[in-house]
C-alpha cells in the first residue's frame, strides 16, 4: 500500500497546507452555527469546505497514480497494484 510519505515532501507540504486551511474553515463553520447565522450562509461555507476537501483528495490521487505510472514504466509491477488502484478510485468516486 502506497503511503503519503512516498508522495514527496513538496506534495505532502501542499496537502498539509490545504488541510490546515480546511481545519480553519470547519472552525469557522462551527462558529457560524453557534452564532445562529442564516442557513444559506452556513451551507455556502460547507460547500466551499467540501470542494477544498475534494481538491486535496484529487491531489493525493493524482500523485498516487503518478507513482503507479512511474513504477510501471520502470518495470516494477506489483501484482497487487491494480487492486490498490481500484480501491483508491472507489474511495474517491
Amino acid at each position: 500500500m502506497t503511503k503519503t510519505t512516498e508522495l514527496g515532501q513538496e506534495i505532502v507540504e501542499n496537502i498539509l497546507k490545504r488541510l490546515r486551511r480546511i481545519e480553519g474553515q470547519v472552525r469557522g463553520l462551527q462558529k457560524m452555527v453557534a452564532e445562529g447565522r442564516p442557513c444559506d450562509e452556513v451551507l455556502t461555507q460547507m460547500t466551499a469546505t467540501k470542494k477544498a476537501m475534494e481538491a486535496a483528495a484529487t491531489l493525493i490521487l493524482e500523485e498516487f497514480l503518478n507513482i503507479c505510472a512511474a513504477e510501471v514504466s520502470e518495470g516494477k509491477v506489483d501484482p497487487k497494484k491494480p487492486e490498490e488502484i481500484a480501491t483508491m478510485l472507489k474511495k474517491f468516486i
Side-chain angles (χ1 to χ4, degrees):
M1 188 62 63
T2 304
K3 298 181 180 181
T4 55
T5 53
E6 298 174 54
L7 301 179
Q9 188 61 33
E10 185 177 324
I11 297 299
V12 170
E13 287 175 14
N14 188 338
I15 293 165
L16 289 172
K17 184 171 76 173
R18 290 170 184 259
L19 291 173
R20 286 185 199 102
R21 193 175 310 128
I22 292 165
E23 182 181 22
Q25 288 177 304
V26 171
R27 274 190 252 116
L29 279 164
Q30 291 171 340
K31 184 177 177 183
M32 289 174 76
V33 171
E35 292 173 349
R37 301 282 292 273
C39 293
D40 66 323
E41 289 180 19
V42 174
L43 290 172
T44 297
Q45 192 59 35
M46 283 183 166
T47 301
T49 303
K50 179 181 173 186
K51 288 183 183 208
M53 285 291 291
E54 290 170 353
T58 298
L59 181 58
I60 291 172
L61 182 61
E62 286 175 354
E63 289 305 313
F64 167 73
L65 292 174
N66 285 334
I67 289 169
C68 293
E71 289 173 356
V72 168
S73 70
E74 295 169 2
K76 302 177 189 175
V77 181
D78 179 353
K80 293 184 179 182
K81 195 57 85 169
E83 182 181 333
E84 184 180 358
I85 293 169
T87 300
M88 292 281 281
L89 289 174
K90 285 178 190 174
K91 287 180 182 180
F92 188 74
I93 296 173

